[in-house]
Amino acid sequence: MRGIDPRFKIVSFLFLAWSIALTESIGKVLLYLPLVLATSFLFFRGRRFPFKVFLFADSFILLVLLTQLFLGSKEVALLVFLRSNEILLLSVSLLSSSSLFEVLHALHHLKVPNSLLQVAFLSYRYLNELSRKFELTLKSAKCRGFTPTTSKITYKTYAHLVANLLAYSSFKSEKVYKAMLCRGFNGYFPVFRHFKATTFDYLFLVITVGYGVLVWSL
Amino acid sequence: MKVEGLSLEIEGREIFKGVSFSVNEGEKLFITGDNGCGKSSLIETIMGFLKPKEGKISFKGKELKREEDFKEVRSKIGYVFQNPDDQLFCPTVEEEIAFAPLVKGKNREETEKIVREILREFEIEHLKDRPTHKLSGGEKRIVSIGAVLSMEPEGLILDEPTVGLDRKRFRKLVNFLKETSKTVIVITHERELIEELNWKVFKMGESSP
């Protein structure tokens, strides 16, 4: 699954997710299941299934499921459950098999505006760093005797940590912008390695989209 | 490059005052000085990021006044930041090195050649596909130098380039600095580097070299 061109995976995912989301019958939703399971099998082969991710995501639809089970129809509850989990399984196996940068790069080729993608990439890149910085500062505070409780000093320490992080992120953004200017940045973020579509990528797209169209037309 | 009587104040606080020095084409210079004496701020002023209170900066005989003048300086002088984390913003090492040539409008073949040469020169071919934020401190330092060199600058300004480098990479950098024909300014406290390269030294807070 990792070898497939991310552009094809995104197109395939969007089409299948759209068609699953709009399917009204349980029978049809179940017909999508073999394809969803096949892509998941290819992706999860030799690696652990992320049960925690699914439990976490399902906790969001729990309220809808319970409401439908007790106050509405059991069929709707089953439909919501199946549709959301099929889409989630597809997104994990198709999208998370590429790095975020590859997905954003593919979206660029799919004509998503450049500035949006730049913001998404830089946010991911620096949120990661800010989270590391926060953990490091918290560790440093703990090494200096800080123990989080429900006391005033704990809230004050956390306030300082967050304020420090905000100041750091502002400082950091200025520095990074200067570094970009120093290296000739002119608003355009070039990409060096581009995708090369193979026959296998086209075959993958034809099979997945074709399957989706077939089920949709039944 | 010529700096004459340069002074900088930030929020009413004097960072440095009356700094003067000059570097001719192909010349090399160390800038040293106590912590907080304004070495990095001096470079940021030269690159046009901070506005001096007084003084003059000239590049190739032309006084730098407008943003356009500083843009030209930035395109001709490669500046390696003190903290490589500030310098690296691309997703992988290869993309980082390819950034400047691509922005400058070089084609894929030329860029590929530059990237390959830099990866080989600094022996970092194995880091090619690694995300830059997951490298070690020394690796980040070397990649940030490589990323600036890919601009093919006429001159280089390196701010504390030896911090975090192991012996092997330190030697590599020293050899590079010895061999390069470019104009180079290095801000450092590293005595070994200063003694080995034996360049002109400008100590901030003292008179011009």
Side-chain angles (χ1 to χ4, degrees), chain A residues 10 31 33 80 129 180 189 211:
Chain A
I10 290 174
L31 280 176
L33 206 55
V80 170
E129 196 167 319
M180 289 168 98
F189 216 106
Y211 189 96

Side-chain angles (χ1 to χ4, degrees), chain A residues 125 175 178 183-184 192, chain B residues 44 88 95-96 103 108:
Chain A
R125 164 79 173 82
K175 278 277 185 190
K178 282 175 189 172
R183 281 166 57 204
F192 182 48
Chain B
E44 288 204 12
L88 306 174
E95 294 282 347
E96 195 72 58
V103 161
R108 300 196 56 75

Side-chain angles (χ1 to χ4, degrees), chain B:
Chain B
M1 171 161 291
K2 199 170 178 187
V3 171
E4 293 166 272
L6 204 66
S7 302
L8 177 73
E9 253 187 40
I10 298 177
E11 291 165 3
R13 191 169 64 91
E14 185 180 272
I15 308 295
F16 54 79
K17 195 178 174 189
V19 171
S20 301
F21 69 87
S22 66
V23 189
N24 296 322
E25 208 167 330
E27 243 185 345
K28 273 103 175 157
L29 174 76
F30 280 123
I31 298 181
T32 63
D34 298 336
N35 292 339
C37 70
K39 300 182 292 293
S40 299
S41 302
L42 169 67
I43 302 304
E44 288 204 12
T45 313
I46 291 172
M47 300 304 275
F49 295 130
L50 296 172
K51 204 172 172 341
K53 189 183 163 204
E54 55 190 27
K56 221 167 85 172
I57 308 166
S58 315
F59 181 64
K60 294 191 169 185
K62 185 184 165 196
E63 190 180 342
L64 308 175
K65 285 180 178 166
R66 297 169 306 130
E67 175 58 16
E68 291 307 309
D69 302 332
F70 287 105
K71 264 189 190 169
E72 197 196 331
V73 172
R74 292 199 284 263
S75 71
K76 290 189 172 149
I77 297 180
Y79 173 28
V80 179
F81 282 48
Q82 187 175 16
N83 180 359
D85 270 324
D86 297 335
Q87 185 114 41
L88 306 174
F89 49 82
C90 294
T92 63
V93 169
E94 189 181 47
E95 294 282 347
E96 195 72 58
I97 297 171
F99 180 88
L102 290 174
V103 161
K104 273 190 164 180
K106 294 222 186 276
N107 65 32
R108 300 196 56 75
E109 287 72 34
E110 287 171 311
T111 307
E112 181 90 55
K113 196 172 159 240
I114 293 170
V115 171
R116 223 178 315 123
E117 269 173 24
I118 286 176
L119 290 172
R120 189 176 42 82
E121 164 98 28
F122 289 99
E123 295 173 10
I124 49 172
E125 289 107 325
H126 60 291
L127 302 176
K128 189 167 76 93
D129 299 319
R130 292 264 303 273
T132 49
H133 59 283
K134 289 189 177 162
L135 301 175
S136 74
E139 288 170 342
K140 279 181 190 169
R141 176 81 56 194
I142 286 294
V143 171
S144 63
I145 296 172
V148 164
L149 281 174
S150 71
M151 290 168 64
E152 299 181 319
E154 290 173 19
L156 273 175
I157 298 180
L158 306 157
D159 196 347
E160 305 274 10
T162 54
V163 175
L165 295 187
D166 57 24
R167 286 308 298 170
K168 192 181 150 203
R169 291 211 163 101
F170 177 82
R171 294 301 330 156
K172 194 96 206 154
L173 181 69
V174 170
N175 290 338
F176 165 75
L177 292 172
K178 269 183 186 168
E179 285 161 15
T180 186
S181 55
K182 295 181 195 295
T183 310
V184 185
I185 297 177
V186 176
I187 296 180
T188 189
H189 289 288
E190 183 77 49
R191 293 191 67 81
E192 192 183 339
L193 188 71
I194 297 172
E195 280 163 14
E196 183 158 352
L197 292 175
N198 203 20
W199 295 348
K200 196 160 75 169
V201 177
F202 171 51
K203 190 159 189 234
M204 289 270 290
E206 286 183 358
S207 55
S208 330

